[in-house]
């Protein structure tokens, strides 16, 4: 509202002095001002309330965030304690494992040394076995040669004495003679010789010989079986001519 200049002298010169205060315009202007103030106040209050609510929401969100962070921190601390316990246990298990590995390595070294000693001993036994086999082969060859010579000699001896020798039981020999009796060449004279002990023994003779103890004493003294067989044949032959 614009204010006009009032000429006070002119007003007073009039018969009925009167000044137009323009109250209606003033009232309108004042009402508009009050409305503007009220609108500003309401808007300011709304803005303040909005900011306050926003700050409260931020505080709540911050408090919730702080609480969540504290809870997460506590969980991390608990997890850290658990991890430290697991780490301590793993370190203890590692020490135990290292001790076990060390013990096993020591045992393995001992076993390897023992195996090396056993291998050396085996090689020694193999050498001994090889030597024994060669010695045994040599002895077998000697025995085979000797057996061949004895077999030939034995065959000639049996042919010469007209006797047959065979084993009948363990360590017992049956010696049979023929062509002892000139009147009956097919008649058989025999005896069983027990060779189980160094002191030989005659179990039975057919026919019996009276001088058998003398012949046995000679066998025990000489140990010569071939000589004994020859003497037995001579004894059988002499028994044919001795008086009954």
């Amino acid at each position: 509202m614009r204010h006009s200049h009032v000429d006070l002298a002119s007003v007073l010169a009039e018969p009925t002095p009167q000044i137009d205060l323009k109250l209606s315009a003033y009232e309108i202007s004042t009402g508009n001002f009050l409305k503007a103030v009220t609108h500003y106040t309401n808007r300011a209050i709304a803005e303040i309330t909005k900011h306050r609510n926003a700050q409260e929401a931020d505080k709540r969100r911050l408090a919730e965030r702080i609480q969540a962070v504290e809870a997460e921190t506590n969980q991390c601390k608990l997890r850290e304690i658990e991890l430290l316990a697991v780490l301590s246990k793993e370190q203890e298990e590692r020490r135990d494992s290292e001790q076990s590995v060390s013990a096993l390595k020591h045992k393995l070294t001992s076993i390897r040394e023992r195996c090396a000693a056993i291998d050396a001993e085996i090689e020694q036994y193999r050498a001994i076995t090889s030597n024994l086999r060669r010695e045994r082969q040599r002895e077998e060859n000697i025995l085979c040669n000797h057996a061949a010579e004895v077999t030939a000699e034995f065959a000639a001896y049996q042919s010469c004495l007209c006797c047959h020798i065979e084993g009948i039981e363990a360590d017992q020999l049956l010696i049979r003679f023929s062509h002892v009796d000139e009147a009956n060449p097919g008649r058989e004279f025999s005896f069983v010789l027990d060779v189980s002990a160094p002191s030989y023994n005659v179990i039975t003779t057919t026919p019996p010989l009276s001088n058998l103890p003398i012949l046995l004493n000679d066998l025990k003294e000489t140990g010569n079986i071939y000589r004994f067989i020859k003497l037995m044949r001579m004894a059988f032959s002499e028994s044919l001519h001795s008086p009954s």
Side-chain angles (χ1 to χ4, degrees):
M1 179 181 66
R2 298 179 62 184
H3 299 282
S4 60
H5 180 71
V6 178
D7 188 359
L8 185 57
S10 297
V11 173
L12 291 175
E14 292 180 359
T16 307
Q18 186 178 7
I19 298 174
D20 187 6
L21 297 177
K22 298 181 180 180
L23 294 176
S24 59
Y26 174 75
E27 290 177 353
I28 291 171
S29 177
T30 302
N32 289 334
F33 177 74
L34 291 175
K35 287 180 181 179
V37 171
T38 301
H39 178 69
Y40 176 78
T41 302
N42 291 335
R43 189 174 64 182
I45 291 172
E47 191 68 23
I48 291 171
T49 302
K50 179 180 178 182
H51 284 292
R52 183 180 295 167
N53 291 335
Q55 289 179 355
E56 292 294 332
D58 290 340
K59 287 181 180 180
R60 286 194 299 272
R61 286 195 297 271
L62 183 59
E64 291 174 355
R65 179 59 181 167
I66 292 173
Q67 186 176 3
V69 170
E70 289 179 350
E72 186 176 357
T73 302
N74 292 332
Q75 289 294 329
C76 289
K77 289 181 179 179
L78 293 175
R79 182 60 179 167
E80 182 181 4
I81 293 173
E82 292 176 355
L83 290 175
L84 288 175
V86 172
L87 180 60
S88 177
K89 183 178 180 181
E90 288 180 352
Q91 289 177 347
E92 184 177 356
E93 290 178 350
R94 181 179 178 181
R95 286 193 298 270
D96 294 340
S97 299
E98 289 177 351
Q99 292 176 356
S100 298
V101 170
S102 178
L104 289 174
K105 286 182 178 178
H106 180 71
K107 188 178 292 184
L108 179 60
T109 302
S110 177
I111 291 173
R112 285 177 176 173
E113 292 176 354
R114 179 60 179 166
C115 288
I118 292 174
D119 289 339
E121 189 174 354
I122 289 173
E123 289 299 326
Q124 183 179 2
Y125 283 136
R126 284 177 178 173
I128 294 173
T129 303
S130 179
N131 292 333
L132 290 175
R133 284 177 178 173
R134 286 194 297 270
E135 184 66 21
R136 179 180 176 182
Q137 186 63 39
R138 188 181 67 82
E139 291 178 353
E140 286 181 353
N141 292 335
I142 293 173
L143 289 175
C144 288
N145 294 333
H146 184 65
E149 294 176 358
V150 169
T151 300
E153 182 180 351
F154 181 71
Y157 192 79
Q158 288 188 108
S159 176
C160 178
L161 296 178
C162 296
C163 72
H164 180 74
I165 302 173
E166 61 179 319
I168 53 174
E169 292 185 10
D171 300 323
Q172 291 185 3
L173 298 176
L174 172 63
I175 295 94
R176 295 177 297 161
F177 299 101
S178 62
H179 297 82
V180 175
D181 188 355
E182 295 179 358
N184 186 8
R187 181 182 175 185
E188 187 175 271
F189 296 78
S190 64
F191 67 96
V192 177
L193 179 64
D194 186 0
V195 295
S196 60
S199 57
Y200 302 111
N201 186 35
V202 173
I203 298 175
T204 181
T205 63
T206 304
L209 292 174
S210 59
N211 60 342
L212 180 60
I214 298 173
L215 298 176
L216 282 175
N217 287 333
D218 181 79
L219 174 62
K220 291 176 182 179
E221 290 177 359
T222 62
N224 191 333
I225 295 179
Y226 290 151
R227 169 184 166 82
F228 178 72
I229 294 174
K230 183 177 180 181
L231 293 177
M232 286 292 290
R233 179 180 176 84
M234 292 175 62
F236 282 128
S237 178
E238 291 175 355
S239 66
L240 294 175
H241 305 290
S242 62
S244 303

